[in-house]
Amino acid sequence: MAADQTIPDERIVGPRSAEDDVLRVEHIAKSFGATVALRDVNLHLRKGEVLGLLGDNGAGKSTLIKILSGFQKQDKGEMWLKGETYTPKSVDDARAHGIDTVFQDLALIDQLSVYHNLFLRRERLHKPIPFLSNALMRRNARKALDEIGINIPHIDVPVARLSGGQRQAIAVARTISGDADIILLDEPLAAMGAKEGAMILDLIARLREEGNVSIIMILHNYVHVFAACDRVSLIQDGVIALDKPTSETSVDELTEIVVEEYRRARLEAHVGNGAALANPVAASDPLVATDSLVVTDSADVVDRLAAADPPATTETPADSAGE
Amino acid sequence: MAVTSSSGTPARSAPQGPAPSRARRGGSGLGVLKRFLTLREGSIIVVLVITVIYFASTTSKFVSGSNFKTLLPYFAPIAIMAAGQVFVMTLGEIDLSIGAMYLFTPFLYYKLNKAGIPIVPSMLISLLVALALGAFNGFAVAYIGIASFVATLGMLFVLDGVTLVISHSEQVTTPGTTIVGVTTFAQIFGEGTYSELIWALAIVFGLQILLSFTRWGLYTVAAGGNRLGASEAGVNVRLVLIRNFMLCALTAGFVGILEAVRSSSASPDPSGSNAILFEAISAVIIGGTLMTGGAGTVVGALLGALFLGILNDGLVIKGVNANYLDLYLGIAILIAMTINVYVNRVRIGSGRGG
């Protein structure tokens, strides 16, 4: 397996599409000038499924999300949504097709109130003169936040005054409270404390139980992947290097792939410099190689996640990183 | 409270009794003041009141009906142009071509009328041209990616130049106005005593509603506050840019015609029109619109224009030597802006507390 991965083209995982695919993506490629972000991505999403997207910084995760969300256009490749060709012209267009996104930078407007942010591009208007119906938006915002279980004391304040976690929660709430049936989340747990992160994970667990929406989520934390996702896809160098149900893989397997990538990158760097591999022991040590990738927030969170979803964390990921 | 708070534990719970009532009492007097100061226009109102009190107490002629009439042309045109500029500056952009637009439209209007087109269609066509030029400004910024400062500076010189060329540097009599008597057209579009004031109030009122209560305004604030975020959320930021530059150009072009009708003539004087550009931008900033974008107020811009008008007028009434006028004006603006900044600090401080 490790040998296969040194030959890039053999790492491409074909689209194992199924009858109930809501979204299917084939041979997506995207470059920015000389930088190749995505080389050949094949991906599918089943109805009601939560797919975790993993990958190193710069692997192309966010680019893929931006293409799916209609914010950017792919150079090559095709997409199908519920069996029909999907070519979003804009974020608005994607939303009209039922795909809504929480971007990495949250796309919140600091100067606007919580409720204006929640309803940005979905404003409620008076009739017949299309003035903003602030009272209605305020009420609905309160209702939506309560339903989701997010506690924001004042919905009239500009979002600039809120904490990082609250802002993230609002961005997630904005997407979830819409009528999208496919939700894309670009690092929904970044900038969040353990408590707020758990709140978002609970929310996703609830959506997963209801089974009405399908979710693609970029995550960095393996524990979160096993707690929240049905399936995991790992992007490396602009291709999907692994695509498995979370029940069929383990933290060890994911770590091994990433370690392998670091080893290869190190080798390439040294070959490029004309120097010998400096320290092969360090390169094969997951702690050295993947310190930024295998993140376990705290024992407390791990315990809570294990309690909430026992089968997913039988591998006690704290052991692999916590030595 | 003072009696019971001797031991440790009661001291923690004791203030809970009187404290809310104190806050509530504060809520009536101090709270109103706080609410007032949290208004974006709060600081300019304070500055304006101080200025009015100063001139009213040091000169006898300041508070009079006739002085009010002299004051009008000082501020009404500036207020209208500033109102349009608020929409551009709330986006974090700037339109430097409004003075040139103001200079250009009366001559276009004159030329169209000379070519045999009746006055009202001539005026409408002139305003449409202003809109188109505004759209070009917006296009240059949104699509070509030229900084608005540079794009509109280019437009400034182009329009100044075109005006000088088509006018042959000669003053013209505004069509629709007569030397003896006043036409209804002229009455409505600038020559009536309160014509410009009514236009200014109506436009400011309308544009403030546009900014505060419509999607147009919401997207303006959104695109000014976080351009990438707004576009990710689905706001068509380029469209917002273009239509706001169009609105800004329209107000400037309209004021150009109003002023030409009011004075019955138009003279191709770029230095005069550029002075108006600076006054309009000053009015916007003094009024409380952020130069960095994301927050703006049309009413504030009107008050800013009123402040500049009163300052001009008050200094003239006080008999300040004409040579010193600009000097005093500059110093007064700096002082007013300093007060503005301090009041603003109170405003933000109170906002953070609440």
Side-chain angles (χ1 to χ4, degrees), chain A residues 218-250:
Chain A
I218 293 181
L219 292 171
H220 267 152
N221 187 325
Y222 290 5
V223 179
H224 293 155
V225 171
F226 285 96
C229 303
D230 298 304
R231 196 155 52 88
V232 54
S233 285
L234 193 137
I235 301 193
Q236 265 183 0
D237 300 331
V239 300
I240 303 283
L242 175 137
D243 178 41
K244 277 186 176 175
T246 42
S247 57
E248 290 172 23
T249 184
S250 63

Side-chain angles (χ1 to χ4, degrees), chain B residues 301-352:
Chain B
L302 171 88
L303 297 174
L306 188 59
F307 166 75
L308 291 175
I310 285 176
L311 206 57
N312 243 314
D313 173 64
L315 289 173
V316 170
I317 288 181
K318 275 183 78 74
V320 170
N321 182 321
N323 290 341
Y324 286 85
L325 200 60
D326 273 357
L327 176 64
Y328 287 144
L329 199 63
I331 292 169
I333 288 174
L334 288 175
I335 292 171
M337 282 305 285
T338 308
I339 297 172
N340 209 333
V341 167
Y342 275 98
V343 176
N344 216 17
R345 232 168 253 174
V346 175
R347 188 174 81 78
I348 291 164
S350 74
R352 208 179 282 142

Side-chain angles (χ1 to χ4, degrees), chain B residues 63-215:
Chain B
V63 187
S64 68
S66 63
N67 183 47
F68 183 65
K69 281 180 201 164
T70 15
L71 181 63
L72 287 179
Y74 274 123
F75 95 94
I78 304 294
I80 298 173
M81 288 170 79
Q85 185 76 282
V86 165
F87 278 78
V88 170
M89 289 181 70
T90 302
L91 283 171
E93 304 291 344
I94 196 162
D95 187 347
L96 296 178
S97 67
I98 54 170
M101 193 70 71
Y102 160 96
L103 187 72
F104 169 67
T105 49
F107 286 96
L108 182 62
Y109 167 60
Y110 170 81
K111 285 282 174 189
L112 288 169
N113 186 251
K114 272 277 190 181
I117 302 169
I119 47 171
V120 175
S122 294
M123 185 177 77
L124 291 177
I125 293 169
S126 304
L127 295 180
L128 284 176
V129 170
L131 275 174
L133 292 167
F136 180 81
N137 279 338
F139 178 83
V141 174
Y143 284 89
I144 306 175
I146 308 174
S148 58
F149 188 98
V150 180
T152 58
L153 189 69
M155 183 63 80
L156 183 163
F157 286 118
V158 167
L159 290 181
D160 277 356
V162 168
T163 307
L164 289 172
V165 170
I166 65 172
S167 68
H168 307 292
S169 296
E170 276 167 21
Q171 189 172 323
V172 297
T173 304
T174 311
T177 60
T178 49
I179 295 154
V180 278
V182 189
T183 63
T184 316
F185 172 84
Q187 280 280 32
I188 294 171
F189 292 103
E191 204 166 348
T193 313
Y194 296 108
S195 159
E196 285 190 330
L197 177 68
I198 292 165
W199 278 112
L201 293 178
I203 288 170
V204 166
F205 181 75
L207 292 188
Q208 183 66 62
I209 284 178
L210 186 68
L211 186 62
S212 301
F213 299 110
T214 70
R215 276 196 282 204

Side-chain angles (χ1 to χ4, degrees), chain B residues 238-301:
Chain B
R238 286 170 165 171
L239 178 71
V240 172
L241 276 164
I242 289 176
R243 69 185 178 195
N244 283 10
F245 272 101
M246 287 172 76
L247 179 65
C248 186
L250 179 67
T251 55
F254 183 61
V255 171
I257 291 176
L258 280 186
E259 281 285 274
V261 171
R262 185 182 66 83
S263 58
S264 304
S265 68
S267 49
D269 167 27
S271 66
S273 66
N274 286 332
I276 283 169
L277 156 72
F278 283 117
E279 280 193 50
I281 288 174
S282 307
V284 175
I285 297 166
I286 293 171
T289 296
L290 294 182
M291 283 193 84
T292 46
T297 155
V298 185
V299 171

Side-chain angles (χ1 to χ4, degrees), chain A:
Chain A
M1 180 193 153
D4 288 350
Q5 283 176 24
T6 53
I7 305 159
D9 288 342
E10 289 186 14
R11 288 184 300 159
I12 298 167
V13 177
R16 283 183 292 179
S17 52
E19 284 293 305
D20 55 348
D21 274 353
V22 285
L23 185 66
R24 201 150 55 85
V25 154
E26 282 184 17
H27 307 302
I28 291 287
K30 174 79 182 175
S31 302
F32 300 97
T35 313
V36 180
L38 299 174
R39 273 197 304 136
D40 187 353
V41 168
N42 301 301
L43 194 83
H44 68 116
L45 182 68
R46 296 204 180 99
K47 187 172 185 333
E49 188 181 39
V50 179
L51 172 65
L53 207 52
L54 284 172
D56 196 4
N57 294 327
K61 306 182 299 286
S62 289
T63 306
L64 181 58
I65 292 289
K66 283 187 171 165
I67 289 171
L68 293 174
S69 66
F71 190 72
Q72 278 167 356
K73 264 201 169 43
Q74 71 270 29
D75 300 334
K76 271 186 231 154
E78 282 179 273
M79 305 194 278
W80 288 271
L81 183 67
K82 292 159 208 158
E84 284 172 28
T85 311
Y86 169 61
T87 48
K89 288 173 197 68
S90 65
V91 178
D92 263 3
D93 190 32
R95 206 175 282 151
H97 281 91
I99 297 188
D100 207 346
T101 311
V102 179
F103 290 97
Q104 199 168 5
D105 62 10
L106 305 183
L108 294 178
I109 314 298
D110 274 351
Q111 290 83 352
L112 292 180
S113 67
V114 172
Y115 68 89
H116 275 150
N117 268 291
L118 272 175
F119 282 96
L120 195 58
R121 284 307 285 142
R122 293 187 289 127
E123 298 83 6
R124 300 288 180 269
L125 301 173
H126 284 294
K127 280 175 203 165
I129 309 166
F131 286 156
L132 298 171
S133 179
N134 289 332
L136 184 64
M137 284 193 273
R138 214 176 274 139
R139 257 201 319 276
N140 288 355
R142 177 51 74 199
K143 219 188 296 167
L145 290 175
D146 284 348
E147 261 171 33
I148 293 168
I150 294 169
N151 179 32
I152 307 286
H154 302 290
I155 57 170
D156 287 320
V157 300
V159 293
R161 300 237 187 96
L162 303 181
S163 73
Q166 284 175 319
R167 292 161 57 85
Q168 195 105 35
I170 286 167
V172 173
R174 168 162 76 187
T175 299
I176 287 173
S177 64
D179 29 290
D181 45 19
I182 296 176
I183 293 175
L184 313 173
L185 299 151
D186 193 347
E187 295 201 40
L189 301 173
M192 283 212 164
K195 210 169 139 192
E196 289 161 324
M199 185 172 77
I200 297 293
L201 285 176
D202 283 352
L203 190 59
I204 287 161
R206 220 182 315 146
L207 291 170
R208 185 182 176 187
E209 255 167 49
E210 290 166 12
N212 298 325
V213 294
S214 317
I215 297 172
I216 300 180
M217 222 178 353
I218 293 181
L219 292 171
H220 267 152
N221 187 325
Y222 290 5
V223 179
H224 293 155
V225 171
F226 285 96
C229 303
D230 298 304
R231 196 155 52 88
V232 54
S233 285
L234 193 137
I235 301 193
Q236 265 183 0
D237 300 331
V239 300
I240 303 283
L242 175 137
D243 178 41
K244 277 186 176 175
T246 42
S247 57
E248 290 172 23
T249 184
S250 63
V251 170
D252 284 347
E253 187 184 358
L254 296 179
T255 309
E256 178 54 37
I257 294 171
V258 173
V259 169
E260 188 57 39
E261 183 183 8
Y262 270 75
R263 200 177 286 139
R264 203 176 52 246
R266 196 171 273 240
L267 204 63
E268 277 166 17
H270 284 285
V271 168
N273 293 340
L277 189 59
N279 189 350
V281 182
S284 64
D285 179 351
L287 268 183
V288 177
T290 64
D291 53 354
S292 71
L293 283 152
V294 182
V295 186
T296 49
D297 284 331
S298 67
D300 166 36
V301 170
V302 174
D303 288 346
R304 199 140 20 108
L305 292 169
D309 199 351
T313 44
T314 45
E315 281 278 340
T316 53
D319 287 348
S320 63
E323 290 176 18

